[in-house]
Amino acid sequence: MNYVLSIVTLAGINMIAVLGLSIFTGFTGLFSFGHAALVGIGAYASAILTYYYFVPFPIALVAGMAASALVSLVIGIPTLRARLRSDYFAIAILGFGEALRVILENLEITNGARGLPGIEPFTTLPIVAGCLAVSVWVASNFLRSRYGAACIAVREDPVAAEMAGINLFRTRLLSLVVSAAFCGLSGGLLAHFLSFIQPVMFTLVQSTALLAAVIAGGMGSITGPLIASFIFIAMPEALRVAQMWRLVAYGLVLVLIMLFRPQGLMGYQELTTFFRRSRNDRPAA
Amino acid sequence: MTGPLLEVKDLTKTFGGIRAVDGLSFAVAPGAITGIIGPNGAGKTTVFNLVTGVYRPDAGSIDFEGRSLLGIRPDQIVGAGIARTFQNIRLFNRRTCLENVLTPLLQKAPYSVPAALLRTPGVRRMDRELREKSRFLLAEMGLEKLADVQASALPYGLQRKLEIARALAMEPRLLLLDEPAAGMNPEESRALSALIEEIRERFNQTILLIEHHMDVVMRVCSHIVVMNFGALLAEGPPEKVRTDEKVLQAYLGKEYRNA
Ligand SMILES: Nc1ncnc2c1ncn2[C@@H]1O[C@H](COP(=O)(O)OP(=O)(O)O)[C@@H](O)[C@H]1O
Ligand SMILES: [Mg+2]
């Protein structure tokens, strides 16, 4: 595949995971340093299905989403119960991310630390574009619904949210499961794009990169994190700089955003809102 | 003959060494506006936090419509028919006025997660109807023009009104208002008194009101509970409470005696 197209495809795949994390962190206000592990679950689950069992690709993708969602439930149910504390979950998913790497490195079916080569390259740019479009549509439906309103209320003020009839635990858990499903999809697409996956691809470094895109893009925005994610993937590639300088460039972008737009690229806004504003119908104050 | 809507008995809550609420008992009659007054730190807000399940009481009972509220979650208590506002305003700050009111309304919309993800026609219709209803509630509070303004951008007094609108969206049978006139000048607090009375009549609403503005309390309440150091100091109709010797000493002070 053409080099530019492959970068765009990779960015699109990453955007789906960032979209998922943005629901959990940007809209529900909960932090996670382990969402890359949920991408990893989707990647391994779907790759194992097509590699060993010749399951059709679309079914494998859905199975990867389900696997991620299920794993997130297992982590979330015991840790999201505390009414006014969310740090239990943050610590648990961080630990899970590291544990997962060790497990994947020691299983036979995953081919250990050497990774799983020769996965069928089913993922194409049109497939990624389609998945991304549907994901954005579904995510914005979710956020406009009663469930999304509950997530945002929990982020804004958990006590007031309870007084609005919202069950904190159920809302946080649902947000986690939905975000995990997106990450699972991203993982499935990634595995069948690269044809090769390895446990080190889904650790704290990648989790931090996902979180950085959400924060830099703007908490509580869909479009902001998607733009940030695209920039983070495309820019270092476009600059074609050496590996070490990529990290520097990445850090520089983050610092610049935090300096000039501490609320993130889009703040709590959507790209569409900016267009509407510029057409001069600001709400009367 | 109906029993009290809310009945609190021997309620006690301590924080460290402080007895914030200390063996308090009182009842709220249906359809009435009951006031809770008392000096700062008397434990009034803590009573609201105990009734709504934000804190668990150390001892005592809380019964709403004859059923105990102990041991159930705040969102379940609210679902049972109690809504409140906060002394230190707690709005969904980065959402619009409309969304603040819409959020509790949406929680009763009976659609599933899959339907929400696909935004089915049924979901669209329900959301549209609830938006209309939110606009109606905003209009009741005189906030209809501010529907699309972010809640945090409102001046203080309007934020308090928005909190009342959000609480009414819960369609409660008991409404708890924690110092709704705080920070208002005499004219504004008079207007608020009228509004509270109107809410009682229009929505046939039972109200429990914490308030420092004595003109508001004496005007709208038919029954007043006076708290001091977490305990009941006196209770009764306004005429009786305002002349009670203990109340005058502990709280209302000399100016009020001569007023
Ligand atoms: N969460 C809390 N932690 C510790 N002390 C508290 C807490 N909430 C209230 N208190 C204390 O309980 C007492 C009663 O407070 P509060 O109910 O807010 O009084 P009021 O509303 O009558 O002014 C005060 O001494 C206050 O400091
Ligand atoms: Mg108080």
Side-chain angles (χ1 to χ4, degrees):
Chain A
M1 202 191 288
N2 173 306
Y3 177 71
V4 174
L5 288 188
S6 75
I7 296 302
V8 172
T9 310
L10 202 58
I13 293 171
N14 193 59
M15 282 155 96
I16 295 174
V18 168
L19 180 67
L21 181 60
S22 145
I23 289 173
F24 188 68
T25 297
F27 287 91
T28 318
L30 297 165
F31 284 85
S32 167
F33 287 96
H35 260 55
L38 297 172
V39 177
I41 296 281
Y44 271 95
S46 63
I48 285 169
L49 286 176
T50 59
Y51 188 82
Y52 293 105
Y53 304 100
F54 310 106
V55 171
F57 181 48
I59 296 175
L61 282 182
V62 173
M65 293 169 73
S68 287
L70 205 66
V71 166
S72 78
L73 266 179
V74 172
I75 304 168
I77 287 175
T79 55
L80 290 173
R81 275 191 191 280
R83 253 181 69 230
L84 299 177
R85 303 193 57 172
S86 51
D87 38 359
Y88 299 128
F89 172 81
I91 292 164
I93 189 121
L94 180 69
F96 170 74
E98 293 313 293
L100 180 70
R101 184 178 57 82
V102 176
I103 293 168
L104 292 175
E105 281 177 359
N106 288 288
L107 285 179
E108 201 144 322
I109 198 164
T110 59
N111 203 27
R114 278 159 298 156
L116 204 56
I119 305 164
E120 286 286 336
F122 291 126
T123 303
T124 60
L125 180 55
I127 290 177
V128 170
C131 286
L132 179 61
V134 171
S135 297
V136 170
W137 180 69
V138 168
S140 55
N141 286 346
F142 175 77
L143 292 166
R144 281 168 77 181
S145 75
R146 53 171 290 200
Y147 303 103
C151 289
I152 299 172
V154 168
R155 175 195 74 195
E156 290 292 293
D157 191 322
V159 174
E162 282 187 303
M163 293 299 126
I166 291 164
N167 180 332
L168 295 182
F169 171 63
R170 284 231 304 261
T171 301
R172 288 169 174 154
L173 196 61
L174 178 63
S175 167
L176 175 63
V177 169
V178 170
S179 89
F182 284 116
C183 287
L185 175 62
S186 171
L189 291 169
L190 184 72
H192 295 85
F193 173 67
L194 299 177
S195 288
F196 169 71
I197 50 175
Q198 221 183 350
V200 289
M201 292 173 164
F202 309 105
T203 59
L204 184 60
V205 178
Q206 291 80 13
S207 290
T208 311
L210 293 177
L211 198 57
V214 170
I215 294 171
M219 305 254 289
S221 163
I222 294 181
T223 40
L226 292 185
I227 295 169
S229 150
F230 188 84
I231 294 175
F232 284 159
I233 295 282
M235 186 200 59
E237 300 295 339
L239 296 178
R240 283 207 168 237
V241 284
Q243 190 64 35
M244 186 185 80
W245 292 105
R246 280 185 195 185
L247 281 176
V248 172
Y250 180 79
L252 192 68
V253 171
L254 267 183
V255 169
L256 286 177
I257 290 175
M258 289 302 133
L259 274 180
F260 294 105
R261 279 195 72 80
Q263 73 275 48
L265 286 177
M266 305 300 287
Y268 285 81
Q269 310 265 342
E270 297 300 346
L271 200 57
T272 45
T273 329
F274 273 89
F275 287 135
R276 248 184 282 135
R277 289 275 162 88
S278 59
R279 272 198 272 114
N280 230 348
D281 57 357
R282 280 168 199 277
Chain B
M1 163 69 221
T2 50
L5 188 64
L6 179 77
E7 190 168 23
V8 166
K9 275 201 198 129
D10 304 319
L11 196 64
T12 298
K13 177 72 186 175
T14 55
F15 294 108
I18 302 169
R19 287 176 98 69
V21 177
D22 191 1
L24 180 73
S25 302
F26 69 89
V28 175
I33 303 185
T34 304
I36 301 184
I37 63 171
N40 267 326
K44 306 179 295 296
T45 298
T46 305
V47 170
F48 276 17
N49 284 333
L50 291 168
V51 169
T52 52
V54 175
Y55 301 143
R56 277 171 183 271
D58 299 329
S61 66
I62 305 169
D63 292 325
F64 179 65
E65 296 180 329
R67 297 212 326 266
S68 173
L69 294 182
L70 296 189
I72 67 174
R73 286 193 318 268
D75 59 288
Q76 293 171 316
I77 292 176
V78 166
I82 301 180
R84 74 178 284 189
T85 64
F86 296 90
Q87 180 178 354
N88 48 345
I89 302 170
R90 283 172 174 266
L91 286 166
F92 304 132
N93 274 323
R94 283 171 294 216
R95 306 224 82 191
T96 65
C97 293
L98 185 86
E99 289 163 340
N100 266 272
V101 177
L102 182 60
T103 298
L105 284 175
L106 276 175
Q107 300 316 310
K108 289 181 183 166
Y111 54 73
S112 65
V113 175
L117 293 175
L118 299 173
R119 201 162 174 79
T120 58
V123 171
R124 271 170 218 266
R125 185 175 40 82
M126 275 185 255
D127 282 1
R128 198 168 46 237
E129 285 166 9
L130 293 173
R131 265 177 191 272
E132 284 312 307
K133 201 165 171 185
S134 313
R135 284 189 194 280
F136 166 78
L137 283 168
L138 285 177
E140 288 290 315
M141 294 291 123
L143 296 169
E144 67 273 23
K145 291 217 178 68
L146 302 168
D148 297 322
V149 175
Q150 196 169 298
S152 60
L154 295 186
Y156 216 60
L158 293 184
Q159 290 197 353
R160 292 205 177 275
K161 282 192 177 177
L162 180 57
E163 265 209 331
I164 297 176
R166 184 179 65 184
L168 286 173
M170 299 297 304
E171 297 177 327
R173 289 188 294 288
L174 174 64
L175 177 62
L176 311 178
L177 300 176
D178 197 343
E179 303 202 19
M184 290 186 179
N185 64 34
E187 194 179 325
E188 288 168 329
S189 62
R190 239 189 327 275
L192 187 84
S193 314
L195 185 68
I196 291 172
E197 284 183 310
E198 202 185 309
I199 290 170
R200 184 180 80 93
E201 274 153 37
R202 292 274 284 280
F203 296 86
N204 191 21
Q205 185 73 63
T206 309
I207 297 174
L208 181 58
L209 170 75
I210 297 176
E211 191 46 75
H212 270 301
H213 289 62
M214 276 310 121
D215 46 338
V216 175
V217 176
M218 294 298 168
R219 176 174 157 184
V220 305
C221 297
S222 57
H223 186 86
I224 295 175
V225 173
V226 189
M227 285 181 72
N228 198 21
F229 296 114
L232 186 76
L233 185 68
E235 71 173 320
E239 318 77 67
K240 184 181 156 223
V241 164
R242 75 200 300 177
T243 54
D244 187 295
E245 203 52 44
K246 285 184 306 227
V247 177
L248 289 171
Q249 267 178 15
Y251 182 49
L252 293 179
K254 289 216 169 53
E255 329 82 71
Y256 210 83
R257 191 185 305 244
N258 305 326

